[in-house]
Amino acid sequence: MEKRHPMKENHFMKEKHSMKKYNRKNLKAIQTIVQEKTGAAIVPERKPAGYKVRQMALLAGSLLCFVILCAFAYAKFSDLNGDVAGFAPAYQGDGRFEIVIVNESGRELKLQDNVKVMQWSTGEEVEGDNGKIRMSGLTIAPHSQGVVSIDISEGYDVKAMEENLPEGDWYYFVLTNNNFAFGQDWMCFFDFEIRETKEVMDEAVDFMEQRAERQKTGEQQYSTGELVDPDWIWPTVSRDVSGLYGWQENGIYSDHVNIVGTAGDEIYAVADGVVTEASFESSTGNFIIVDLGEGITVKYGHLKEIKVSEGEEIKQGQVIATLGQTGMATGPNLLFEVSINGENVNPFVE
C-alpha cells in the first residue's frame, strides 16, 4: 500500500485552501466590476438551511411510493392477463354477438358496459354510434366460462359492414376489464359467419385446456424430422415445434403441427400452388390455404400479415405471410396443416 508523505499532503491542503481563497477573491472582484458598470448587484445563490436533509427525505419518500405502487400494480395485474383468458365470438345474425369467455384466472373479470368496434386493416373505429351498443352478462367469475352479449344493430349499419369487409380483413371489439387499477383492454376479432354458441364454447374450452397442458409440460419443444414430401422446403425460419400431430397427452386430437418462432418471421410456400383462401377465423386467426394439386392442400395459420390473395399462383420459397399470434394462439407460432383429398395427414414423416 502506497504511503503518503506528510509534508506533501500538508502542502496539498495548503494549496487547495489557497485556491479556494483565490477563487473567492476573483469572484468578489468580478462582482464589484459588474456592479460598477451596470448597477446590478450579483447575489451568490445560497442553498437554504436543511436543503440536503429535505432533498434526501424527498428522495426516500419517492422511492417508498414507487415500491408501494409496484406492489399494488403487481397484485392487481399478476392474476389476470392475456394468457389466462380466452375470447371467441359466436355471431347470431342481425348484428347480435355472443362473446364466449373462458376466465382461468383467480380474479373476477368485470367488463365495462361500452365497447369499441374497430377494423384491423385501418386500425380505426368503424363508423357508427357505439353509445347505442347494448351489452349484458359483463361479469365472469374466476375459473369459469361465460357469455357476454353484444348487439350493435342500433348503432351500426351491419349490412354495409358485412358487404364492405375486404377479403383477408376483419373487425374486432375492444373490451375493457373494469376490475383492474388501471384497466385492461381485450381484443376479440369477428366476422359475420353465424355459429352456434355451444360449438364456440367447446372449442374455446378445448383450446384453453391445450394451453394449460403445454404450460404444465413447460411448453415442450420437439426436434423435427423431414416434411411428408421430400421435395417441399421448410415453411419458416424456426424448426422448433411446440405441438405435434395426433393424439395429445390430454386426450385432444390435433390435426396440425405448430412451429414456434418470432413474430414477423417470414413464412414461405413449401411448394408451387394456387391460393384458394386467404382469410380470418376466430381459432386459426389469419390463415392461407394453398392448393398444390393432386388433391393436396396446405394451410398456414396464426399469421401476422398475409402477403398473397385468393386465386394467386405462388412459387416454392415465395414469402406468402409473416408469423404471428392471431386467433387463439398463446404465442407467436405457425399453424401448419396438410390434407390429402380432404383428409388431414401428419405433415412430418412418421
Side-chain angles (χ1 to χ4, degrees), residues 101 103 107-112 136-142 144-149 177-179:
I101 301 178
N103 180 10
R107 186 179 295 279
E108 183 180 68
L109 181 64
K110 187 182 294 183
L111 298 176
Q112 291 183 356
S136 61
L138 300 177
T139 301
I140 310 297
S144 70
Q145 300 86 43
V147 175
V148 172
S149 297
N177 175 28
N178 203 28
N179 202 24

Side-chain angles (χ1 to χ4, degrees), residues 184-201:
Q184 172 81 31
D185 287 340
W186 308 83
M187 297 168 66
C188 179
F189 296 94
F190 69 88
D191 53 25
F192 295 99
E193 177 188 357
I194 295 178
R195 300 192 65 193
E196 293 290 334
T197 303
K198 185 180 184 307
E199 178 187 0
V200 175
M201 175 70 81

Side-chain angles (χ1 to χ4, degrees), residues 27-65:
L27 178 61
K28 189 173 182 180
I30 292 170
Q31 290 173 352
T32 303
I33 293 170
V34 172
Q35 189 170 358
E36 288 176 354
K37 297 291 184 183
T38 65
I42 298 177
V43 181
E45 181 185 359
R46 294 180 180 274
K47 292 203 169 32
Y51 171 79
K52 287 188 176 180
V53 174
R54 286 198 297 274
Q55 190 179 43
M56 291 300 294
L58 179 62
L59 180 62
S62 299
L63 182 60
L64 179 61
C65 288

Side-chain angles (χ1 to χ4, degrees), residues 123-141:
E124 297 177 354
E125 281 196 65
V126 176
E127 185 177 349
D129 185 355
N130 67 348
K132 293 182 178 180
I133 295 177
R134 291 178 295 173
M135 302 178 66
S136 61
L138 300 177
T139 301
I140 310 297

Side-chain angles (χ1 to χ4, degrees), residues 140-328:
I140 310 297
H143 306 295
S144 70
Q145 300 86 43
V147 175
V148 172
S149 297
I150 299 178
D151 186 347
I152 66 173
S153 60
E154 292 185 8
Y156 293 81
D157 187 339
V158 178
K159 185 177 180 181
M161 286 177 63
E162 187 172 0
E163 291 176 350
N164 297 332
L165 185 64
E167 291 290 339
D169 198 5
W170 60 92
Y171 301 111
Y172 62 96
F173 294 120
V174 177
L175 304 162
T176 300
N177 175 28
N178 203 28
N179 202 24
F180 278 176
F182 308 109
Q184 172 81 31
D185 287 340
W186 308 83
M187 297 168 66
C188 179
F189 296 94
F190 69 88
D191 53 25
F192 295 99
E193 177 188 357
I194 295 178
R195 300 192 65 193
E196 293 290 334
T197 303
K198 185 180 184 307
E199 178 187 0
V200 175
M201 175 70 81
D202 291 342
E203 288 181 1
V205 170
D206 286 346
F207 172 81
M208 298 303 281
E209 287 177 353
Q210 288 184 49
R211 184 203 64 81
E213 187 65 28
R214 285 197 296 270
Q215 285 190 339
K216 185 178 178 181
T217 58
E219 292 287 353
Q220 184 177 7
Q221 293 183 357
Y222 305 90
S223 59
T224 61
E226 298 296 325
L227 294 175
V228 66
D229 190 321
D231 293 328
W232 291 357
I233 66 169
W234 196 256
T236 188
V237 178
S238 170
R239 285 180 172 263
D240 293 326
V241 176
S242 59
L244 294 175
Y245 177 89
W247 289 104
Q248 310 299 301
E249 292 181 2
N250 59 0
I252 296 175
Y253 189 83
S254 174
D255 58 5
H256 60 272
V257 298
N258 292 90
I259 304 171
V260 296
T262 302
D265 283 351
E266 293 180 336
I267 303 298
Y268 310 111
V270 295
D272 296 352
V274 177
V275 179
T276 59
E277 194 172 354
S279 188
F280 171 87
E281 56 189 14
S282 58
S283 58
T284 311
N286 292 334
F287 71 91
I288 300 170
I289 296 179
V290 180
D291 186 347
L292 306 185
E294 299 182 351
I296 302 173
T297 61
V298 174
K299 184 176 183 178
Y300 309 80
H302 299 321
L303 306 173
K304 178 179 181 181
E305 182 182 2
I306 295 175
K307 295 182 175 291
V308 293
S309 55
E310 290 184 13
E312 182 177 342
E313 294 185 5
I314 59 176
K315 296 295 183 182
Q316 185 179 59
Q318 179 179 337
V319 177
I320 59 174
T322 55
L323 188 143
Q325 191 180 342
T326 56
M328 286 182 152

Side-chain angles (χ1 to χ4, degrees), residues 226-232 336 338 340 345-350:
E226 298 296 325
L227 294 175
V228 66
D229 190 321
D231 293 328
W232 291 357
F336 187 65
V338 177
I340 300 177
V345 300
N346 192 342
F348 299 145
V349 175
E350 297 184 65

